Amino acid sequence: MFAIVQSGGKQYRVSEGDILRFEALDAEPGDVVEFPVLLLGGGDVRVGTPLVEGASVKAEVLGHGRGDKSQVYKYKAKVNYRRKIGHRQPYTEVRMIEIRGSAEDRKTRQAEAPVEGSPVEDEVPAEVVEVAGA
């Protein structure tokens, strides 16, 4: 199962156990944060409008840091204008702990799951038709 979550104006595809770098979050290392879910994928896909109701993704904050330095150089010809600026984007590293769909979904899936030894599981189709060219 995977989910598309939103954080810092960006969208990320996450699965349980993934370690990702998000834009800097206001949380301490060891804290558990929750992200809104835009799309749930896996067996059946659920798309939110804009969010999937009852769905959430929990993640543990591992630490904070700053990314690689990028250089910005501005130059205008013939007027002796030159500016050199560097930038390091702050980030928060998180590990995805749990992807949770709505509670109603889990209840219906458990109710729909066949019980061992039930007649539904043991049924064999009465007639099997073979299609030529398949």
Side-chain angles (χ1 to χ4, degrees), residues 109-131:
R109 285 186 188 150
Q110 288 174 354
E112 291 173 2
V115 180
E116 285 186 35
S118 69
V120 174
E121 191 177 87
D122 296 335
E123 283 183 15
V124 177
E127 184 179 315
V128 178
V129 179
E130 291 186 24
V131 179

Side-chain angles (χ1 to χ4, degrees), residues 69-114:
K69 188 169 217 174
S70 63
Q71 300 288 335
V72 178
Y73 191 77
K74 298 179 180 182
Y75 171 80
K76 290 188 181 178
K78 302 177 190 161
V79 291
N80 200 22
Y81 175 82
R82 291 164 181 84
R83 301 287 183 269
K84 184 178 178 183
I85 304 166
H87 175 74
R88 293 181 69 189
Q89 184 69 28
Y91 65 83
T92 301
E93 198 166 53
V94 297
R95 179 184 311 125
M96 300 301 141
I97 299 173
E98 177 183 22
I99 297 175
R100 187 183 298 173
S102 67
E104 296 169 4
D105 266 3
R106 275 184 266 125
K107 288 178 186 175
T108 57
R109 285 186 188 150
Q110 288 174 354
E112 291 173 2

Side-chain angles (χ1 to χ4, degrees), residues 17-85:
D18 286 353
I19 296 176
L20 295 169
R21 290 182 174 180
F22 286 98
E23 296 246 353
L25 301 173
D26 188 24
E28 296 298 318
D31 289 352
V32 175
V33 294
E34 199 166 301
F35 296 105
V37 176
L38 302 172
L39 180 141
L40 276 175
D44 57 333
V45 176
R46 292 183 40 216
V47 179
T49 55
L51 302 175
V52 177
E53 271 188 53
S56 65
V57 173
K58 288 188 178 182
E60 176 189 7
V61 176
L62 300 177
H64 300 284
R66 290 172 52 184
D68 295 335
K69 188 169 217 174
S70 63
Q71 300 288 335
V72 178
Y73 191 77
K74 298 179 180 182
Y75 171 80
K76 290 188 181 178
K78 302 177 190 161
V79 291
N80 200 22
Y81 175 82
R82 291 164 181 84
R83 301 287 183 269
K84 184 178 178 183
I85 304 166

